[in-house]
Amino acid sequence: VVSLTEAVAMIENGDTIASGGCHYSRTPMAAVWEMIRQKKKDLTYCRSITSTEGDLLLVAGAVKHVVTSWFSPGVTWGVSAVMRHYMEKKLAVFEEWSHMTLGLRFRAGGMGIPFIPARSMMGSDLIPRLPGLKEMDCHYTGEKLVLVPALNPDLAILHTQRCDPYGNVQSDGLPFMDQDIAMAANKVIVTTERIISNEQVRRQPDQTKIPFFCVDAVVEVPYGCMPHELYGEYEPDFASMDAYVKLMMSKGPDGVREYLDK
């Protein structure tokens, strides 16, 4: 159990960071704010679907490379103007995978294998855009498959409803890719709404989604996803997010800088 400052200090400039959750659900926002406060640089940020936290990390100068399957504040708000600005002006790299293949990359990383064969993305124009992606003829059926490479982040940041001091994570709601990310990453920070006792964990061992041996730091951060949501705890703060998106979409990076300064 450490402070948020101590946990985020584990991140080195230039690291590949994976974030748990999906879109504006279970985003480890408290850790994102701390990464910005500590002025992290040159990070590669990996997430299944990137939401407003991606804007903040790009404009703050923390991230130079985003690996994701979609980058948007939310369905109703459209594609991020900040993402467009940074990618069209080649200020950062936007590496797009299908949602399925990004999950398979974490799964392969967690299994300790170099790749997983898949059909996902075959026939799409994503394959030639991803350097080094290979196809193979299956040794058993002869059919063509894509070799999806493993993704092993230097560090993962996950948020959950509850966790004991040893790092046994018990979470509710959709699992997203968190379990595979925890197994794939070299180090794992878990921020949690509350720290519970190991006795409570032992009463419901089947609820432990990520075991202690995957976790390097536990940080108690109530409302650690706000203004995003956490299943069973709180809804998104849509008024706050709507105000942010209007600022971001109208002024682009300058609007995000205003938001960050405030």
Side-chain angles (χ1 to χ4, degrees):
V1 177
V2 299
S3 70
L4 189 60
T5 303
E6 291 170 315
V8 173
M10 293 165 57
I11 298 172
E12 303 281 347
N13 290 339
D15 276 354
T16 295
I17 305 299
S19 173
C22 180
H23 210 190
Y24 52 78
S25 182
R26 214 154 74 203
T27 313
M29 285 299 299
V32 168
W33 292 122
E34 185 60 25
M35 287 162 64
I36 294 169
R37 280 194 289 269
Q38 292 190 20
K39 301 186 186 306
K40 299 298 180 182
K41 299 291 181 187
D42 299 326
L43 302 176
T44 297
Y45 182 72
C46 310
R47 194 172 188 219
S48 58
I49 295 179
T50 302
S51 184
T52 56
E53 85 285 356
D55 300 333
L56 304 177
L57 289 166
L58 282 171
V59 174
V63 165
K64 67 172 185 179
H65 187 162
V66 178
V67 180
T68 189
S69 61
W70 198 45
F71 195 143
S72 164
V75 175
T76 56
W77 293 301
V79 173
S80 164
V82 166
M83 184 272 278
R84 282 191 182 276
H85 174 86
Y86 273 78
M87 306 317 157
E88 288 173 358
K89 294 189 178 300
K90 304 201 182 308
L91 301 172
V93 175
F94 176 58
E95 184 180 322
E96 184 179 9
W97 295 76
S98 73
H99 194 65
M100 176 73 176
T101 49
L102 192 55
L104 289 175
R105 293 194 68 193
F106 287 127
R107 176 64 57 89
M111 293 173 68
I113 56 178
F115 65 86
I116 281 183
R119 294 191 182 93
S120 183
M121 297 201 307
M122 290 186 69
S124 79
D125 65 353
L126 287 176
I127 289 182
R129 295 169 186 267
L130 294 167
L133 197 62
K134 299 182 185 300
E135 294 183 345
M136 68 170 280
D137 294 324
C138 175
H139 293 295
Y140 297 101
T141 65
E143 65 181 321
K144 195 168 288 297
L145 298 170
V146 175
L147 307 185
V148 180
L151 181 52
N152 291 99
D154 296 302
L155 189 142
I157 305 172
L158 313 173
H159 190 77
T160 189
Q161 289 91 347
R162 57 197 180 277
C163 181
D164 77 3
Y166 302 102
N168 290 299
V169 175
Q170 295 196 337
S171 55
D172 304 317
L174 293 172
F176 301 121
M177 300 177 184
D178 288 24
Q179 291 158 299
D180 288 325
I181 290 171
M183 292 292 289
N186 293 327
K187 294 180 181 178
V188 176
I189 296 169
V190 173
T191 59
T192 183
E193 292 294 309
R194 55 193 170 276
I195 293 176
I196 60 174
S197 71
N198 186 250
E199 287 182 0
Q200 288 174 279
V201 167
R202 288 171 180 268
R203 288 190 198 114
Q204 291 184 298
D206 60 308
Q207 296 302 305
T208 299
K209 306 299 170 61
I210 296 168
F212 71 94
F213 55 78
C214 290
V215 177
D216 296 88
V218 176
V219 187
E220 189 171 59
V221 189
Y223 298 99
C225 296
M226 290 295 285
H228 295 188
E229 64 95 21
L230 182 62
Y231 177 85
E233 300 285 337
Y234 42 86
E235 295 290 319
D237 184 346
F238 282 120
S240 172
M241 290 181 68
D242 196 48
Y244 163 78
V245 172
K246 285 177 181 175
L247 190 61
M248 181 269 290
M249 293 297 254
S250 63
K251 297 185 178 181
D254 290 339
V256 178
R257 288 188 192 98
E258 281 183 36
Y259 182 81
L260 286 169
D261 288 343
K262 184 178 179 181

PDB file of all heavy atoms in Angstrom, residues 53-85:
ATOM      1  N   GLU A  53      -9.308  10.924 -21.283  1.00  0.00           N
ATOM      2  CA  GLU A  53      -7.979  10.889 -20.659  1.00  0.00           C
ATOM      3  C   GLU A  53      -6.876  10.922 -21.709  1.00  0.00           C
ATOM      4  O   GLU A  53      -5.774  11.423 -21.465  1.00  0.00           O
ATOM      5  CB  GLU A  53      -7.836   9.662 -19.743  1.00  0.00           C
ATOM      6  CG  GLU A  53      -7.409   8.357 -20.391  1.00  0.00           C
ATOM      7  CD  GLU A  53      -8.485   7.652 -21.195  1.00  0.00           C
ATOM      8  OE1 GLU A  53      -9.651   8.137 -21.196  1.00  0.00           O
ATOM      9  OE2 GLU A  53      -8.179   6.617 -21.820  1.00  0.00           O
ATOM     10  N   GLY A  54      -7.165  10.413 -22.918  1.00  0.00           N
ATOM     11  CA  GLY A  54      -6.185  10.448 -23.993  1.00  0.00           C
ATOM     12  C   GLY A  54      -5.872  11.876 -24.423  1.00  0.00           C
ATOM     13  O   GLY A  54      -4.716  12.222 -24.682  1.00  0.00           O
ATOM     14  N   ASP A  55      -6.916  12.717 -24.496  1.00  0.00           N
ATOM     15  CA  ASP A  55      -6.708  14.136 -24.808  1.00  0.00           C
ATOM     16  C   ASP A  55      -5.776  14.777 -23.791  1.00  0.00           C
ATOM     17  O   ASP A  55      -4.834  15.494 -24.138  1.00  0.00           O
ATOM     18  CB  ASP A  55      -8.035  14.909 -24.762  1.00  0.00           C
ATOM     19  CG  ASP A  55      -9.069  14.422 -25.742  1.00  0.00           C
ATOM     20  OD1 ASP A  55      -8.681  13.863 -26.783  1.00  0.00           O
ATOM     21  OD2 ASP A  55     -10.261  14.619 -25.470  1.00  0.00           O
ATOM     22  N   LEU A  56      -6.076  14.543 -22.518  1.00  0.00           N
ATOM     23  CA  LEU A  56      -5.317  15.178 -21.442  1.00  0.00           C
ATOM     24  C   LEU A  56      -3.846  14.764 -21.503  1.00  0.00           C
ATOM     25  O   LEU A  56      -2.953  15.598 -21.349  1.00  0.00           O
ATOM     26  CB  LEU A  56      -5.915  14.793 -20.083  1.00  0.00           C
ATOM     27  CG  LEU A  56      -7.402  15.090 -19.876  1.00  0.00           C
ATOM     28  CD1 LEU A  56      -7.855  14.587 -18.512  1.00  0.00           C
ATOM     29  CD2 LEU A  56      -7.696  16.572 -20.011  1.00  0.00           C
ATOM     30  N   LEU A  57      -3.593  13.492 -21.731  1.00  0.00           N
ATOM     31  CA  LEU A  57      -2.219  12.987 -21.747  1.00  0.00           C
ATOM     32  C   LEU A  57      -1.445  13.511 -22.963  1.00  0.00           C
ATOM     33  O   LEU A  57      -0.253  13.810 -22.860  1.00  0.00           O
ATOM     34  CB  LEU A  57      -2.229  11.458 -21.735  1.00  0.00           C
ATOM     35  CG  LEU A  57      -2.675  10.821 -20.412  1.00  0.00           C
ATOM     36  CD1 LEU A  57      -2.983   9.332 -20.604  1.00  0.00           C
ATOM     37  CD2 LEU A  57      -1.618  11.003 -19.329  1.00  0.00           C
ATOM     38  N   LEU A  58      -2.120  13.643 -24.106  1.00  0.00           N
ATOM     39  CA  LEU A  58      -1.454  14.179 -25.293  1.00  0.00           C
ATOM     40  C   LEU A  58      -1.092  15.649 -25.106  1.00  0.00           C
ATOM     41  O   LEU A  58       0.041  16.066 -25.339  1.00  0.00           O
ATOM     42  CB  LEU A  58      -2.355  14.013 -26.522  1.00  0.00           C
ATOM     43  CG  LEU A  58      -2.427  12.622 -27.153  1.00  0.00           C
ATOM     44  CD1 LEU A  58      -3.529  12.583 -28.202  1.00  0.00           C
ATOM     45  CD2 LEU A  58      -1.098  12.228 -27.785  1.00  0.00           C
ATOM     46  N   VAL A  59      -2.073  16.445 -24.679  1.00  0.00           N
ATOM     47  CA  VAL A  59      -1.848  17.885 -24.555  1.00  0.00           C
ATOM     48  C   VAL A  59      -0.850  18.199 -23.444  1.00  0.00           C
ATOM     49  O   VAL A  59      -0.053  19.141 -23.555  1.00  0.00           O
ATOM     50  CB  VAL A  59      -3.189  18.618 -24.327  1.00  0.00           C
ATOM     51  CG1 VAL A  59      -2.957  20.094 -24.039  1.00  0.00           C
ATOM     52  CG2 VAL A  59      -4.092  18.465 -25.547  1.00  0.00           C
ATOM     53  N   ALA A  60      -0.848  17.389 -22.380  1.00  0.00           N
ATOM     54  CA  ALA A  60       0.110  17.598 -21.291  1.00  0.00           C
ATOM     55  C   ALA A  60       1.531  17.191 -21.680  1.00  0.00           C
ATOM     56  O   ALA A  60       2.471  17.445 -20.930  1.00  0.00           O
ATOM     57  CB  ALA A  60      -0.329  16.820 -20.050  1.00  0.00           C
ATOM     58  N   GLY A  61       1.677  16.538 -22.822  1.00  0.00           N
ATOM     59  CA  GLY A  61       3.001  16.128 -23.271  1.00  0.00           C
ATOM     60  C   GLY A  61       3.475  14.817 -22.674  1.00  0.00           C
ATOM     61  O   GLY A  61       4.652  14.456 -22.816  1.00  0.00           O
ATOM     62  N   ALA A  62       2.572  14.087 -22.020  1.00  0.00           N
ATOM     63  CA  ALA A  62       2.969  12.827 -21.385  1.00  0.00           C
ATOM     64  C   ALA A  62       3.047  11.684 -22.386  1.00  0.00           C
ATOM     65  O   ALA A  62       3.857  10.769 -22.228  1.00  0.00           O
ATOM     66  CB  ALA A  62       1.984  12.474 -20.266  1.00  0.00           C
ATOM     67  N   VAL A  63       2.209  11.718 -23.411  1.00  0.00           N
ATOM     68  CA  VAL A  63       2.078  10.592 -24.344  1.00  0.00           C
ATOM     69  C   VAL A  63       2.438  11.036 -25.759  1.00  0.00           C
ATOM     70  O   VAL A  63       2.044  12.122 -26.199  1.00  0.00           O
ATOM     71  CB  VAL A  63       0.633  10.033 -24.298  1.00  0.00           C
ATOM     72  CG1 VAL A  63       0.349   9.132 -25.496  1.00  0.00           C
ATOM     73  CG2 VAL A  63       0.407   9.271 -22.999  1.00  0.00           C
ATOM     74  N   LYS A  64       3.189  10.193 -26.458  1.00  0.00           N
ATOM     75  CA  LYS A  64       3.536  10.481 -27.851  1.00  0.00           C
ATOM     76  C   LYS A  64       3.032   9.399 -28.807  1.00  0.00           C
ATOM     77  O   LYS A  64       3.152   9.537 -30.020  1.00  0.00           O
ATOM     78  CB  LYS A  64       5.048  10.622 -27.989  1.00  0.00           C
ATOM     79  CG  LYS A  64       5.817   9.319 -27.746  1.00  0.00           C
ATOM     80  CD  LYS A  64       7.289   9.461 -28.095  1.00  0.00           C
ATOM     81  CE  LYS A  64       8.007   8.125 -27.956  1.00  0.00           C
ATOM     82  NZ  LYS A  64       9.439   8.213 -28.303  1.00  0.00           N
ATOM     83  N   HIS A  65       2.474   8.308 -28.258  1.00  0.00           N
ATOM     84  CA  HIS A  65       2.071   7.160 -29.080  1.00  0.00           C
ATOM     85  C   HIS A  65       0.864   6.527 -28.392  1.00  0.00           C
ATOM     86  O   HIS A  65       0.937   6.156 -27.219  1.00  0.00           O
ATOM     87  CB  HIS A  65       3.240   6.172 -29.155  1.00  0.00           C
ATOM     88  CG  HIS A  65       3.026   5.026 -30.102  1.00  0.00           C
ATOM     89  ND1 HIS A  65       4.069   4.260 -30.582  1.00  0.00           N
ATOM     90  CD2 HIS A  65       1.907   4.496 -30.651  1.00  0.00           C
ATOM     91  CE1 HIS A  65       3.600   3.312 -31.374  1.00  0.00           C
ATOM     92  NE2 HIS A  65       2.278   3.433 -31.436  1.00  0.00           N
ATOM     93  N   VAL A  66      -0.250   6.422 -29.123  1.00  0.00           N
ATOM     94  CA  VAL A  66      -1.479   5.841 -28.574  1.00  0.00           C
ATOM     95  C   VAL A  66      -1.798   4.560 -29.336  1.00  0.00           C
ATOM     96  O   VAL A  66      -1.861   4.551 -30.563  1.00  0.00           O
ATOM     97  CB  VAL A  66      -2.664   6.825 -28.688  1.00  0.00           C
ATOM     98  CG1 VAL A  66      -3.938   6.190 -28.149  1.00  0.00           C
ATOM     99  CG2 VAL A  66      -2.364   8.128 -27.950  1.00  0.00           C
ATOM    100  N   VAL A  67      -1.978   3.467 -28.585  1.00  0.00           N
ATOM    101  CA  VAL A  67      -2.350   2.164 -29.159  1.00  0.00           C
ATOM    102  C   VAL A  67      -3.755   1.853 -28.663  1.00  0.00           C
ATOM    103  O   VAL A  67      -3.970   1.643 -27.461  1.00  0.00           O
ATOM    104  CB  VAL A  67      -1.365   1.064 -28.717  1.00  0.00           C
ATOM    105  CG1 VAL A  67      -1.762  -0.282 -29.320  1.00  0.00           C
ATOM    106  CG2 VAL A  67       0.065   1.422 -29.095  1.00  0.00           C
ATOM    107  N   THR A  68      -4.728   1.826 -29.571  1.00  0.00           N
ATOM    108  CA  THR A  68      -6.114   1.692 -29.136  1.00  0.00           C
ATOM    109  C   THR A  68      -6.966   1.209 -30.306  1.00  0.00           C
ATOM    110  O   THR A  68      -6.474   1.029 -31.418  1.00  0.00           O
ATOM    111  CB  THR A  68      -6.637   3.041 -28.593  1.00  0.00           C
ATOM    112  OG1 THR A  68      -7.908   2.863 -27.971  1.00  0.00           O
ATOM    113  CG2 THR A  68      -6.748   4.088 -29.688  1.00  0.00           C
ATOM    114  N   SER A  69      -8.265   0.999 -30.044  1.00  0.00           N
ATOM    115  CA  SER A  69      -9.177   0.605 -31.110  1.00  0.00           C
ATOM    116  C   SER A  69     -10.148   1.733 -31.463  1.00  0.00           C
ATOM    117  O   SER A  69     -10.845   1.655 -32.470  1.00  0.00           O
ATOM    118  CB  SER A  69      -9.971  -0.642 -30.705  1.00  0.00           C
ATOM    119  OG  SER A  69     -10.745  -0.394 -29.545  1.00  0.00           O
ATOM    120  N   TRP A  70     -10.202   2.788 -30.641  1.00  0.00           N
ATOM    121  CA  TRP A  70     -11.072   3.941 -30.918  1.00  0.00           C
ATOM    122  C   TRP A  70     -10.671   5.048 -29.966  1.00  0.00           C
ATOM    123  O   TRP A  70     -10.232   4.777 -28.838  1.00  0.00           O
ATOM    124  CB  TRP A  70     -12.548   3.573 -30.719  1.00  0.00           C
ATOM    125  CG  TRP A  70     -13.505   4.521 -31.381  1.00  0.00           C
ATOM    126  CD1 TRP A  70     -13.421   5.030 -32.642  1.00  0.00           C
ATOM    127  CD2 TRP A  70     -14.704   5.065 -30.806  1.00  0.00           C
ATOM    128  NE1 TRP A  70     -14.485   5.862 -32.896  1.00  0.00           N
ATOM    129  CE2 TRP A  70     -15.290   5.897 -31.797  1.00  0.00           C
ATOM    130  CE3 TRP A  70     -15.334   4.927 -29.576  1.00  0.00           C
ATOM    131  CZ2 TRP A  70     -16.476   6.592 -31.577  1.00  0.00           C
ATOM    132  CZ3 TRP A  70     -16.513   5.609 -29.354  1.00  0.00           C
ATOM    133  CH2 TRP A  70     -17.080   6.434 -30.353  1.00  0.00           C
ATOM    134  N   PHE A  71     -10.818   6.293 -30.389  1.00  0.00           N
ATOM    135  CA  PHE A  71     -10.374   7.441 -29.588  1.00  0.00           C
ATOM    136  C   PHE A  71     -11.462   8.501 -29.677  1.00  0.00           C
ATOM    137  O   PHE A  71     -11.540   9.225 -30.662  1.00  0.00           O
ATOM    138  CB  PHE A  71      -9.042   7.960 -30.137  1.00  0.00           C
ATOM    139  CG  PHE A  71      -8.287   8.902 -29.229  1.00  0.00           C
ATOM    140  CD1 PHE A  71      -6.907   8.853 -29.170  1.00  0.00           C
ATOM    141  CD2 PHE A  71      -8.939   9.829 -28.440  1.00  0.00           C
ATOM    142  CE1 PHE A  71      -6.185   9.713 -28.356  1.00  0.00           C
ATOM    143  CE2 PHE A  71      -8.244  10.693 -27.606  1.00  0.00           C
ATOM    144  CZ  PHE A  71      -6.868  10.638 -27.569  1.00  0.00           C
ATOM    145  N   SER A  72     -12.298   8.575 -28.652  1.00  0.00           N
ATOM    146  CA  SER A  72     -13.435   9.491 -28.678  1.00  0.00           C
ATOM    147  C   SER A  72     -13.901   9.775 -27.257  1.00  0.00           C
ATOM    148  O   SER A  72     -13.844   8.894 -26.398  1.00  0.00           O
ATOM    149  CB  SER A  72     -14.585   8.854 -29.469  1.00  0.00           C
ATOM    150  OG  SER A  72     -15.801   9.527 -29.222  1.00  0.00           O
ATOM    151  N   PRO A  73     -14.388  10.990 -26.977  1.00  0.00           N
ATOM    152  CA  PRO A  73     -14.954  11.260 -25.647  1.00  0.00           C
ATOM    153  C   PRO A  73     -16.158  10.364 -25.361  1.00  0.00           C
ATOM    154  O   PRO A  73     -16.411   9.997 -24.220  1.00  0.00           O
ATOM    155  CB  PRO A  73     -15.378  12.734 -25.727  1.00  0.00           C
ATOM    156  CG  PRO A  73     -14.663  13.298 -26.893  1.00  0.00           C
ATOM    157  CD  PRO A  73     -14.415  12.175 -27.844  1.00  0.00           C
ATOM    158  N   GLY A  74     -16.904  10.016 -26.392  1.00  0.00           N
ATOM    159  CA  GLY A  74     -18.089   9.189 -26.227  1.00  0.00           C
ATOM    160  C   GLY A  74     -18.875   9.154 -27.521  1.00  0.00           C
ATOM    161  O   GLY A  74     -18.683  10.009 -28.404  1.00  0.00           O
ATOM    162  N   VAL A  75     -19.773   8.201 -27.645  1.00  0.00           N
ATOM    163  CA  VAL A  75     -20.514   8.014 -28.890  1.00  0.00           C
ATOM    164  C   VAL A  75     -21.246   9.292 -29.301  1.00  0.00           C
ATOM    165  O   VAL A  75     -21.239   9.686 -30.470  1.00  0.00           O
ATOM    166  CB  VAL A  75     -21.513   6.847 -28.730  1.00  0.00           C
ATOM    167  CG1 VAL A  75     -22.372   6.724 -29.976  1.00  0.00           C
ATOM    168  CG2 VAL A  75     -20.769   5.537 -28.472  1.00  0.00           C
ATOM    169  N   THR A  76     -21.850   9.968 -28.348  1.00  0.00           N
ATOM    170  CA  THR A  76     -22.661  11.138 -28.680  1.00  0.00           C
ATOM    171  C   THR A  76     -21.826  12.349 -29.077  1.00  0.00           C
ATOM    172  O   THR A  76     -22.343  13.295 -29.666  1.00  0.00           O
ATOM    173  CB  THR A  76     -23.549  11.531 -27.484  1.00  0.00           C
ATOM    174  OG1 THR A  76     -22.715  11.759 -26.339  1.00  0.00           O
ATOM    175  CG2 THR A  76     -24.538  10.428 -27.159  1.00  0.00           C
ATOM    176  N   TRP A  77     -20.519  12.344 -28.751  1.00  0.00           N
ATOM    177  CA  TRP A  77     -19.677  13.510 -29.007  1.00  0.00           C
ATOM    178  C   TRP A  77     -18.775  13.348 -30.225  1.00  0.00           C
ATOM    179  O   TRP A  77     -18.113  14.294 -30.627  1.00  0.00           O
ATOM    180  CB  TRP A  77     -18.805  13.813 -27.782  1.00  0.00           C
ATOM    181  CG  TRP A  77     -19.573  14.277 -26.590  1.00  0.00           C
ATOM    182  CD1 TRP A  77     -20.384  15.373 -26.508  1.00  0.00           C
ATOM    183  CD2 TRP A  77     -19.602  13.672 -25.299  1.00  0.00           C
ATOM    184  NE1 TRP A  77     -20.900  15.489 -25.239  1.00  0.00           N
ATOM    185  CE2 TRP A  77     -20.433  14.457 -24.469  1.00  0.00           C
ATOM    186  CE3 TRP A  77     -18.982  12.553 -24.740  1.00  0.00           C
ATOM    187  CZ2 TRP A  77     -20.676  14.159 -23.133  1.00  0.00           C
ATOM    188  CZ3 TRP A  77     -19.228  12.241 -23.416  1.00  0.00           C
ATOM    189  CH2 TRP A  77     -20.066  13.040 -22.626  1.00  0.00           C
ATOM    190  N   GLY A  78     -18.674  12.164 -30.782  1.00  0.00           N
ATOM    191  CA  GLY A  78     -17.855  11.972 -31.973  1.00  0.00           C
ATOM    192  C   GLY A  78     -16.378  11.800 -31.674  1.00  0.00           C
ATOM    193  O   GLY A  78     -15.949  11.710 -30.525  1.00  0.00           O
ATOM    194  N   VAL A  79     -15.585  11.771 -32.734  1.00  0.00           N
ATOM    195  CA  VAL A  79     -14.142  11.541 -32.626  1.00  0.00           C
ATOM    196  C   VAL A  79     -13.471  12.781 -32.046  1.00  0.00           C
ATOM    197  O   VAL A  79     -13.826  13.915 -32.355  1.00  0.00           O
ATOM    198  CB  VAL A  79     -13.559  11.202 -34.013  1.00  0.00           C
ATOM    199  CG1 VAL A  79     -12.047  11.137 -33.979  1.00  0.00           C
ATOM    200  CG2 VAL A  79     -14.132   9.876 -34.501  1.00  0.00           C
ATOM    201  N   SER A  80     -12.472  12.564 -31.212  1.00  0.00           N
ATOM    202  CA  SER A  80     -11.768  13.648 -30.531  1.00  0.00           C
ATOM    203  C   SER A  80     -11.070  14.595 -31.507  1.00  0.00           C
ATOM    204  O   SER A  80     -10.286  14.174 -32.360  1.00  0.00           O
ATOM    205  CB  SER A  80     -10.731  13.057 -29.570  1.00  0.00           C
ATOM    206  OG  SER A  80      -9.795  14.035 -29.176  1.00  0.00           O
ATOM    207  N   ALA A  81     -11.330  15.904 -31.347  1.00  0.00           N
ATOM    208  CA  ALA A  81     -10.645  16.914 -32.158  1.00  0.00           C
ATOM    209  C   ALA A  81      -9.160  16.971 -31.818  1.00  0.00           C
ATOM    210  O   ALA A  81      -8.334  17.290 -32.680  1.00  0.00           O
ATOM    211  CB  ALA A  81     -11.290  18.281 -31.929  1.00  0.00           C
ATOM    212  N   VAL A  82      -8.820  16.652 -30.581  1.00  0.00           N
ATOM    213  CA  VAL A  82      -7.415  16.638 -30.169  1.00  0.00           C
ATOM    214  C   VAL A  82      -6.675  15.497 -30.861  1.00  0.00           C
ATOM    215  O   VAL A  82      -5.557  15.671 -31.364  1.00  0.00           O
ATOM    216  CB  VAL A  82      -7.301  16.526 -28.636  1.00  0.00           C
ATOM    217  CG1 VAL A  82      -5.886  16.180 -28.213  1.00  0.00           C
ATOM    218  CG2 VAL A  82      -7.728  17.833 -27.987  1.00  0.00           C
ATOM    219  N   MET A  83      -7.298  14.328 -30.889  1.00  0.00           N
ATOM    220  CA  MET A  83      -6.674  13.193 -31.587  1.00  0.00           C
ATOM    221  C   MET A  83      -6.447  13.552 -33.052  1.00  0.00           C
ATOM    222  O   MET A  83      -5.351  13.341 -33.591  1.00  0.00           O
ATOM    223  CB  MET A  83      -7.556  11.947 -31.473  1.00  0.00           C
ATOM    224  CG  MET A  83      -6.955  10.697 -32.091  1.00  0.00           C
ATOM    225  SD  MET A  83      -7.309  10.488 -33.847  1.00  0.00           S
ATOM    226  CE  MET A  83      -8.948   9.752 -33.752  1.00  0.00           C
ATOM    227  N   ARG A  84      -7.447  14.130 -33.705  1.00  0.00           N
ATOM    228  CA  ARG A  84      -7.297  14.532 -35.107  1.00  0.00           C
ATOM    229  C   ARG A  84      -6.126  15.500 -35.277  1.00  0.00           C
ATOM    230  O   ARG A  84      -5.299  15.359 -36.176  1.00  0.00           O
ATOM    231  CB  ARG A  84      -8.583  15.209 -35.604  1.00  0.00           C
ATOM    232  CG  ARG A  84      -9.699  14.251 -35.943  1.00  0.00           C
ATOM    233  CD  ARG A  84     -10.807  15.011 -36.661  1.00  0.00           C
ATOM    234  NE  ARG A  84     -11.925  14.139 -36.963  1.00  0.00           N
ATOM    235  CZ  ARG A  84     -11.990  13.351 -38.031  1.00  0.00           C
ATOM    236  NH1 ARG A  84     -10.967  13.299 -38.873  1.00  0.00           N
ATOM    237  NH2 ARG A  84     -13.045  12.603 -38.247  1.00  0.00           N
ATOM    238  N   HIS A  85      -6.063  16.503 -34.404  1.00  0.00           N
ATOM    239  CA  HIS A  85      -5.013  17.517 -34.485  1.00  0.00           C
ATOM    240  C   HIS A  85      -3.625  16.876 -34.361  1.00  0.00           C
ATOM    241  O   HIS A  85      -2.736  17.143 -35.192  1.00  0.00           O
ATOM    242  CB  HIS A  85      -5.214  18.552 -33.371  1.00  0.00           C
ATOM    243  CG  HIS A  85      -4.103  19.553 -33.269  1.00  0.00           C
ATOM    244  ND1 HIS A  85      -4.071  20.711 -34.019  1.00  0.00           N
ATOM    245  CD2 HIS A  85      -2.980  19.575 -32.503  1.00  0.00           C
ATOM    246  CE1 HIS A  85      -2.971  21.401 -33.728  1.00  0.00           C
ATOM    247  NE2 HIS A  85      -2.301  20.737 -32.811  1.00  0.00           N
TER     248      HIS A  85
END
